[in-house]
């Protein structure tokens, strides 16, 4: 599957780009007559704490790709650190670049995670929830994730 690329939001400021790998951790439901495979039943979302940048915003789990680190390895490491799971990192399904109004630019690479070992344990977030794709727009997501949230809710991704 070729990653969906969202438009880049431009700002007058420039600087280093923070590279991030994030996961769409999904639970599959039973296939329906309308779907070719099993449909996404739930997706895992996480809420930042009051003490993190962009406090109390919702996001998909993941984190910074360190210098010289492969994105899939970075995501696997981050999911173990944040949620205590050993994830099988699947295909890259989306890639976006976003510049915030304060000038910070982030490149986000989103990977599908359908399998993992261990029980999800909230190690760093205020809240962690399994929600349906239709519920996603009800949550106050990071600005960079907003377009993807709409695409997932509409069924055009995942």
């Amino acid at each position: 599957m070729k990653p969906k690329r969202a438009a880049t939001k431009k700002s007058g400021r420039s600087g280093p780009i923070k590279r991030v790998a994030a996961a769409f951790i999904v639970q599959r439901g039973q296939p329906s007559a309308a779907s070719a495979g099993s449909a996404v039943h739930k997706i895992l979302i996480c809420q930042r704490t009051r003490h993190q940048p962009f406090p109390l915003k919702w996001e998909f789990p993941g984190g910074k790709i360190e210098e010289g680190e492969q994105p899939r390895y970075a995501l696997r490491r981050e999911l173990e650190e944040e949620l205590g799971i050993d994830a099988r990192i699947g295909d890259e399904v989306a890639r976006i670049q976003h510049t915030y109004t304060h000038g910070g630019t982030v490149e986000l690479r989103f990977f599908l995670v359908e399998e993992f070992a261990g029980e999800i344990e909230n190690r760093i977030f205020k809240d962690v929830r399994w929600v349906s794709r239709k519920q996603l727009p009800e949550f106050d997501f990071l600005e960079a994730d907003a377009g993807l949230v709409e695409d997932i809710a509409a069924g055009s991704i995942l």
Side-chain angles (χ1 to χ4, degrees), residues 25-65:
I25 303 176
V26 299
Q27 295 175 339
R28 297 279 183 188
Q30 294 298 317
S32 69
S35 67
S38 58
V40 170
H41 178 62
K42 299 279 184 176
I43 187 164
L44 190 77
I45 61 173
C46 304
Q47 186 180 34
R48 291 172 172 239
T49 68
R50 293 184 192 286
H51 308 292
Q52 290 175 294
F54 307 105
L56 304 179
K57 293 284 189 176
W58 289 87
E59 66 182 350
F60 300 100
K64 185 176 179 188
I65 302 168

Side-chain angles (χ1 to χ4, degrees), residues 137-151:
E138 298 170 16
F139 293 86
D140 185 17
F141 272 84
L142 290 168
E143 187 179 302
D145 293 344
L148 288 174
V149 166
E150 293 299 321
D151 289 345

Side-chain angles (χ1 to χ4, degrees), residues 74-87 121 123:
L75 182 55
R76 190 167 185 242
R77 174 184 51 75
E78 288 284 345
L79 294 178
E80 197 286 320
E81 290 172 7
E82 294 178 352
L83 299 171
I85 59 173
D86 182 11
E121 175 186 335
R123 293 182 174 177

Side-chain angles (χ1 to χ4, degrees), residues 6-158:
T8 301
K9 184 176 179 182
K10 296 288 184 186
S11 169
R13 298 182 184 170
S14 64
I17 296 175
K18 181 179 177 183
R19 296 175 55 233
V20 173
F24 295 139
I25 303 176
V26 299
Q27 295 175 339
R28 297 279 183 188
Q30 294 298 317
S32 69
S35 67
S38 58
V40 170
H41 178 62
K42 299 279 184 176
I43 187 164
L44 190 77
I45 61 173
C46 304
Q47 186 180 34
R48 291 172 172 239
T49 68
R50 293 184 192 286
H51 308 292
Q52 290 175 294
F54 307 105
L56 304 179
K57 293 284 189 176
W58 289 87
E59 66 182 350
F60 300 100
K64 185 176 179 188
I65 302 168
E66 301 295 340
E67 187 67 36
E69 191 175 36
Q70 293 297 314
R72 281 183 172 83
Y73 178 82
L75 182 55
R76 190 167 185 242
R77 174 184 51 75
E78 288 284 345
L79 294 178
E80 197 286 320
E81 290 172 7
E82 294 178 352
L83 299 171
I85 59 173
D86 182 11
R88 183 174 165 265
I89 310 301
D91 291 336
E92 182 176 341
V93 294
R95 187 183 303 188
I96 60 173
Q97 185 171 311
H98 180 82
T99 300
Y100 284 92
T101 53
H102 64 70
T105 299
V106 63
E107 178 189 73
L108 295 141
R109 296 177 69 168
F110 293 88
F111 295 87
L112 185 61
V113 173
E114 297 179 283
E115 298 176 26
F116 58 86
E119 294 293 320
I120 290 179
E121 175 186 335
N122 181 1
R123 293 182 174 177
I124 68 159
F125 298 103
K126 181 179 186 312
D127 197 3
V128 174
R129 292 188 194 175
W130 288 104
V131 300
S132 73
R133 73 170 64 234
K134 297 289 186 198
Q135 290 174 297
L136 287 174
E138 298 170 16
F139 293 86
D140 185 17
F141 272 84
L142 290 168
E143 187 179 302
D145 293 344
L148 288 174
V149 166
E150 293 299 321
D151 289 345
I152 294 168
S156 59
I157 297 180
L158 304 181

